[in-house]
Amino acid sequence: MDDDAWTNGCAAGVRGSEIARLRYFRRTARERFDGRMKIRIADVRDLMTETCRRAGVPAQSVDLVVDHYLLGETQGKHSHGVAKFCFESQFFGERQGPPVTVREHGALAVIDARREIGPVAADHAVRVAAERARTWGAGIVGMINTQRYGVLSPWTEQLARAGFLGIVMNTSRADSTVGGARTPFLGVNPISYAVPTGGEPLVVDMSTTESPMGVLWETRRAGGTLPGGAFVDGAGAFTTDPHEAVSAMVFGGHKGFSLSLLIQIITGSLFGFPMGAEVDSTWNTGYAFIAVDPSFGGALDDFPKGNAKLVQAMEDVATRDGLPLRIPGHRSRAHRQAVLSSGELSIDESVYRRLEARAAGDFTHE
C-alpha cells in the first residue's frame, strides 16, 4: 500500500496533521532489520485505535482493547500482540452486546459473552469473579461465546492487585497432542495465576504446549520455520515446516499432559461446556476465571506478606552460574519496561503492513 492510498483510506477517521505525521514517519523513521521494523509505540497505538474505530468497537472499550494487545507486544510475546490484534480485529464487528450471567449458584457463575470482543469480555468476567469472591470467599466463573484475547496475565494481575489469588485459563479447538500420539485431542489450554506481594504481583502466564498455536499461524503467514520439538505432523513426527504441522506438542511429558487435562476439565465439563474435538468454533470455546479471597472477609492480611517473603527467598537463591534465578513474570516485566523506555516496538514488517491495512478499513488483507 503506498502513502497516498493509506492516507486516503484513513482520511475519514484521522486528522490531517496526524496523517502527515504518520506519512513522514513511514518515510524517515523506520529501521529495518531481519524483516522487522522499529516503530514508535505511539504510532502503532494510533493505527490500532483507528482499526477499532473502523471495526465499530464502542468508544468506551477502545483503550482497553488496544492496551491489552500492546501489553503482549511490549512483553515480547509477539504472537499475542499486534499480530493477534490484526487477526482478531476481523471479528470485532460480530459482537452482539455486553456479556450476561445466565446461570449462578453460590461462588459459581456462567457467563454468555454474546460474542463480545475478547479483552472486554474477559474484563467483565474478572469483575464478576471478584464480586463473588467478596461475597462467598471465592468466585468461580465460566464464560463461553466470546471472541479471543491475547495474553492471560493482565486478568490474573488485575485480581492480584485487588488482593485475590487469581487464576485464569481457557481451552481451544483440539489443536494439541502428547508424545506418541498422532491425533490432536486437547486444546492448547494456557493458564495464568497471580498473587499480591505488597509490590508488583507475582504472575505466571504459560501455555501447556511447547509453543503456542499463534506461532504456527504467524509462521504460515510470514514464512520461515517453526521451533524444533514444538509441533508435529499428521503422523505424530516433529516438524519445523508450518505447512506440515497439524498440532502443538504438550510440554512436560505425562506431567504436562495431566496439567493440560485438568485445564480441559475446568474450562469444559465443570461448566457444561464442550471439550476436545467437540470445540469446533470460537463461540463454544470455554474460559474460566477464578478469584479466591485469602483474607477470610478482611480478617487476615498476611497473604501478600507471605508471598513477598517467598519472592525474596527466590531472589536470594544461589545458582551454579551466578546469575539471578529466573522468576516467573520478571523477564516479561523487564522487557516491557525496556520497550516502554525506548518508545519503540520491533514489529515484523508483514505484521505492520497488515495493521496499516486494518487501519484503512481492509479486514481481509493477510
Side-chain angles (χ1 to χ4, degrees):
M1 178 182 297
D2 61 29
D3 288 330
D4 290 337
W6 186 86
T7 299
N8 292 336
C10 289
V14 181
R15 295 186 304 272
S17 60
E18 183 68 10
I19 292 171
R21 185 174 71 86
L22 288 175
R23 287 183 66 191
Y24 172 79
F25 170 70
R26 291 185 68 226
R27 288 173 175 162
T28 63
R30 290 190 309 212
E31 178 183 342
R32 292 177 172 79
F33 54 102
D34 296 331
R36 302 189 68 82
M37 306 164 62
K38 282 190 176 181
I39 310 292
R40 288 180 295 197
I41 296 173
D43 292 301
V44 174
R45 175 181 289 278
D46 287 342
L47 291 172
M48 295 173 76
T49 299
E50 177 62 11
T51 298
C52 287
R53 188 195 70 81
R54 287 183 173 272
V57 177
Q60 69 272 17
S61 299
V62 170
D63 285 345
L64 173 62
V65 173
V66 172
D67 287 344
H68 175 75
Y69 288 105
L70 275 178
L71 174 66
E73 192 69 39
T74 56
Q75 287 180 339
K77 299 176 180 178
H78 304 303
S79 63
H80 288 64
V82 175
K84 191 157 191 178
F85 171 84
C86 289
F87 179 77
E88 298 300 338
S89 64
Q90 301 173 86
F91 311 106
F92 288 173
E94 296 189 28
R95 65 180 299 273
Q96 298 172 341
V100 294
T101 299
V102 294
R103 191 164 66 250
E104 56 187 332
H105 176 71
L108 292 158
V110 174
I111 295 172
D112 175 358
R114 300 177 67 200
R115 302 195 175 189
E116 181 60 276
I117 298 164
V120 181
D123 181 71
H124 175 84
V126 165
R127 294 174 188 275
V128 172
E131 180 181 357
R132 302 193 88 78
R134 293 186 185 99
T135 302
W136 301 97
I140 306 169
V141 176
M143 184 167 70
I144 202 164
N145 195 25
T146 179
Q147 296 181 41
R148 290 170 290 253
Y149 47 60
V151 292
L152 284 69
S153 58
W155 318 124
T156 54
E157 187 168 339
Q158 187 174 331
L159 289 167
R161 291 189 184 281
F164 302 112
L165 161 64
I167 307 172
V168 173
M169 60 193 83
N170 63 263
T171 189
S172 69
R173 291 180 174 86
D175 283 332
S176 74
T177 193
V178 299
R182 295 176 56 183
T183 305
F185 63 97
L186 291 169
V188 293
N189 298 349
I191 182 171
S192 174
Y193 60 87
V195 295
T197 67
E200 290 296 322
L202 175 62
V203 185
V204 174
D205 185 350
M206 55 178 272
S207 171
T208 54
T209 55
E210 293 285 355
S211 188
M213 285 298 289
V215 170
L216 172 58
W217 307 139
E218 195 55 37
T219 304
R220 283 181 179 173
R221 291 189 192 99
T225 58
L226 296 168
F231 297 92
V232 295
D233 61 20
F238 285 112
T239 181
T240 59
D241 184 338
H243 301 289
E244 293 292 329
V246 298
S247 59
M249 177 58 61
V250 172
F251 84 103
H254 195 69
K255 294 178 181 179
F257 177 13
S258 299
L259 175 60
S260 182
L261 188 59
L262 173 63
I263 296 170
Q264 189 76 80
I265 292 167
I266 294 175
T267 59
S269 57
L270 178 65
F271 297 105
F273 298 162
M275 296 188 293
E278 295 177 346
V279 180
D280 57 10
S281 78
T282 300
W283 314 123
N284 66 357
T285 298
Y287 295 74
F289 300 79
I290 301 172
V292 180
D293 180 6
S295 74
F296 286 78
L300 302 176
D301 63 359
D302 54 355
F303 185 54
K305 297 175 184 176
N307 298 329
K309 289 175 62 177
L310 178 60
V311 171
Q312 185 62 58
M314 291 188 289
E315 291 176 344
D316 292 341
V317 165
T319 61
R320 288 184 297 175
D321 58 12
L323 297 175
L325 182 71
R326 182 181 176 186
I327 299 173
H330 283 203
R331 181 180 293 182
S332 295
R333 185 173 291 132
H335 189 281
R336 173 172 168 79
Q337 290 171 346
V339 170
L340 292 178
S341 295
S342 75
E344 293 181 324
L345 292 171
S346 169
I347 297 182
D348 187 279
E349 185 167 358
S350 66
V351 173
Y352 184 74
R353 299 301 183 196
R354 206 177 309 148
L355 179 60
E356 284 186 313
R358 298 291 184 266
D362 180 357
F363 289 90
T364 61
H365 176 81
E366 288 298 326

